[in-house]
Amino acid sequence: KAGVTQTPRYLIKTRGQQVTLSCSPISGHRSVSWYQQTPGQGLQFLFEYFSETQRNKGNFPGRFSGRQFSNSRSEMNVSTLELGDSALYLCASSLQLNEKLFFGSGTQLSVL
Amino acid sequence: DQQVKQNSPSLSVQEGRISILNCDYTNSMFDYFLWYKKYPAEGPTFLISISSIKDKNEDGRFTVFLNKSAKHLSLHIVPSQPGDSAVYFCAASAQSGATNKLIFGTGTLLAVQP
């Protein structure tokens, strides 16, 4: 069974641009979550989706948005990029809510 | 406000000895705790978890202890192996909210010396 797949693996953008990151969960998993990892901050929760509905949102500005499609695939979008958005963005999926998360390898975003 | 804290950024142990990684939390609503292991350039992988109704959970070389009164949990790895060298994250959630939202600590880098 394939794991959580995130594309692209690496991304370089400049300030003010926007970016879309993609996540394909493990087959059959209906819950997708997104996390941001920066040095010294650990993993910070961004959003959580279940059956195309956003169930939870972390403390991030409105520039960060996401969605989940009917096939459970998810995308997150960051608009008007800032230098501080440089981070590893991790997607995780689970079969249902209240179950352990399986993480993808992440998308490393660098904002110049 | 860091609700989950891992106060040791790094830990070094000899192969074959015990590794003890510590984690403290402040939110009494947390009722489910997990440990994840992360290698560079990879996503975190699940290691072991514990519900707040237990005080110990064991899986092979890995044991997690939970002290609810102290709001403290620890991960014991016995015996430690060089392949265990990685960053270990402690995470917590309030499962009564029917959510997969995890609050992570900042991680502890474990180095197991051969």
Side-chain angles (χ1 to χ4, degrees):
Chain A
K1 200 181 223 185
V4 177
T5 305
Q6 290 187 246
T7 56
R9 190 77 177 84
Y10 302 94
L11 206 48
I12 298 175
K13 292 285 188 179
T14 55
R15 278 183 301 173
Q17 287 187 308
Q18 76 161 21
V19 67
T20 299
L21 311 181
S22 181
C23 172
S24 293
I26 292 172
S27 177
H29 284 197
R30 298 167 62 193
S31 173
V32 172
S33 306
W34 288 88
Y35 289 82
Q36 181 197 63
Q37 185 186 8
T38 53
Q41 289 292 317
L43 282 76
Q44 305 285 316
F45 173 78
L46 280 157
F47 332 95
E48 174 184 51
Y49 290 90
F50 184 80
S51 293
E52 301 179 68
T53 301
Q54 185 179 92
R55 291 189 53 89
N56 226 326
K57 190 175 192 301
N59 294 326
F60 281 82
R63 301 185 296 107
F64 291 80
S65 62
R67 58 179 175 168
Q68 186 181 31
F69 302 96
S70 59
N71 61 359
S72 293
R73 193 176 69 84
S74 177
E75 287 181 348
M76 68 163 281
N77 187 277
V78 188
S79 62
T80 319
L81 283 166
E82 300 177 359
L83 295 179
D85 297 333
S86 295
L88 179 66
Y89 290 87
L90 291 159
C91 172
S93 74
S94 66
L95 200 57
Q96 297 286 346
L97 296 173
N98 288 351
E99 291 194 2
K100 69 186 182 194
L101 300 180
F102 293 85
F103 283 86
S105 297
T107 293
Q108 183 68 54
L109 173 65
S110 297
V111 182
L112 307 178
Chain B
D1 176 36
Q2 193 73 24
Q3 297 184 67
V4 177
K5 298 177 184 178
Q6 294 177 256
N7 292 317
S8 297
S10 64
L11 175 68
S12 182
V13 299
Q14 288 294 121
E15 182 179 3
R17 306 293 291 268
I18 184 172
S19 295
I20 300 177
L21 296 97
N22 294 304
C23 178
D24 297 294
Y25 62 96
T26 58
N27 191 337
S28 55
M29 297 298 293
F30 290 149
D31 55 9
Y32 187 56
F33 304 89
L34 309 91
W35 284 94
Y36 280 83
K37 173 180 173 181
K38 186 178 186 299
Y39 294 115
E42 294 183 14
T45 54
F46 171 78
L47 263 180
I48 192 168
S49 62
I50 187 167
S51 162
S52 60
I53 63 173
K54 294 185 171 183
D55 54 20
K56 177 183 173 181
N57 190 25
E58 196 170 349
D59 184 1
R61 298 186 296 115
F62 302 91
T63 304
V64 56
F65 296 91
L66 176 61
N67 182 333
K68 288 187 291 293
S69 60
K71 292 190 175 67
H72 176 84
L73 64 154
S74 61
L75 173 68
H76 292 210
I77 306 174
V78 183
S80 300
Q81 299 173 354
D84 296 329
S85 297
V87 177
Y88 289 78
F89 290 98
C90 167
S93 75
Q95 288 212 307
S96 55
T99 178
N100 281 342
K101 176 182 177 181
L102 296 179
I103 306 299
F104 281 86
T106 51
T108 296
L109 174 62
L110 172 66
V112 180
Q113 311 294 335

